[in-house]
Amino acid sequence: HIHPYYGVFSPIRGEYLELIASAPLPKPCETAWDIGTGTGVISALLARRGVAHITATDTDARALSCAQENIQRLGLTTKITLHNANLFPEAENPVDLIVCNPPWLPAKPSSPVERAVFDEHGSMLKGFLTGVAQHLTPHGQAWLIISDLAEHLGLRAPDGIPNLITQNNLTLIHRHDIRPQHSKAFDPKDPLHIARAKEVTSLWCLRKR
C-alpha cells in the first residue's frame, strides 16, 4: 500500500499504474530511473516486477520523505535509492529503463500541490524527452506515461508529443492505451465531460535511434 503525504500527488487514478504493471520490460532490465517519483509508487511497481536497481528522483522534499517512508514500509530499500534531482540523477552509467509520468496539463499551477497536475509550458515533458536518449543503454527504453486530455482541451497540439519524440533522437516502439475509469469520465454534469469522455492515457515505449 502507498500512503501519500499532504501536498504530495496521490495516484487516485489507477489506470496508468495498470499500464506500468503490464507493459513488457526491456530485456535485460536490471536498472531503472523513476523521474518525478512523488509517493514512490512507480519505483515500487518496478521493484515488484523484478528490476534490481532503481533510482527515483524528485525536487520536492515532502515527496522524497513520502517516497522514503513508503519504500521502507514495503521493504524495498535495497532496491530503490532516492535522489533530490531535477529530472535525471547525476550518473555516468546508462540504464535499461527510464520512466516518467509528468503533469498532464501544460498550464501554470497556483499552489505547490498543483505542480503534479499542471506543468507550465510543458517544461517537464520537454525536458524528459530532450534529455532521456543520452542516458539509455543500447537496448534501453524510455517510458512516457501521459494523458491526451490536454489535446482535447486545446492546450497541446495533436502532433505535439510525436514531434518532440522525433526531434529528440527517439523512436516509438509501441504505445499502450487505456481509457479512464474514474467517475468524472462518465458524469455528463462535469464541466470537462466532453474532453474526459474522449480521454486516453498512454504509455509511450521509446528507444533512441
Side-chain angles (χ1 to χ4, degrees), residues 19-113:
L19 293 175
I20 296 168
S22 60
L25 294 168
K27 295 181 180 181
C29 190
E30 294 296 316
T31 55
W33 291 350
D34 171 18
I35 308 302
T37 191
T39 61
V41 62
I42 291 177
S43 290
L45 273 174
L46 295 176
R48 289 289 171 85
R49 292 198 64 186
V51 181
H53 305 287
I54 301 157
T55 299
T57 70
D58 212 298
T59 57
D60 189 290
R62 289 171 300 178
L64 292 168
S65 295
C66 178
Q68 184 65 50
E69 183 177 301
N70 285 316
I71 290 163
Q72 289 175 343
R73 186 174 55 256
L74 294 169
L76 298 173
T77 54
T78 60
K79 289 190 171 186
I80 302 170
T81 303
L82 291 166
H83 282 269
N84 187 331
N86 182 18
L87 293 175
F88 309 105
E90 293 184 8
E92 295 183 1
N93 295 328
V95 290
D96 302 317
L97 177 64
I98 304 177
V99 182
C100 183
N101 174 35
W104 292 352
L105 297 177
K108 186 176 181 178
S110 60
S111 66
V113 70

Side-chain angles (χ1 to χ4, degrees), residues 111-205:
S111 66
V113 70
E114 286 189 353
R115 287 200 296 266
V117 179
F118 299 109
D119 178 23
E120 190 170 11
H121 307 303
S123 58
M124 184 174 180
L125 169 64
K126 294 174 183 175
F128 174 71
L129 291 176
T130 298
V132 71
Q134 63 184 302
H135 299 294
L136 292 170
T137 57
H139 68 275
Q141 295 181 18
W143 286 6
L144 170 68
I145 304 101
I146 197 163
S147 155
D148 66 354
L149 185 61
E151 282 81 351
H152 296 302
L153 294 174
L155 299 175
R156 184 166 53 234
D159 59 355
I161 291 177
N163 284 346
L164 283 170
I165 289 170
T166 301
Q167 292 164 11
N168 287 292
N169 196 35
L170 297 164
T171 187
L172 178 65
I173 305 170
H174 191 76
R175 198 179 94 178
H176 305 273
D177 296 332
I178 192 168
R179 289 284 183 176
Q181 301 162 14
H182 58 90
S183 59
K184 288 185 177 180
F186 308 99
D187 181 6
K189 295 180 181 179
D190 184 276
L192 300 180
H193 173 68
I194 294 176
R196 292 190 190 279
K198 300 176 183 177
E199 182 185 7
V200 172
T201 299
S202 301
L203 190 159
W204 301 69
C205 295

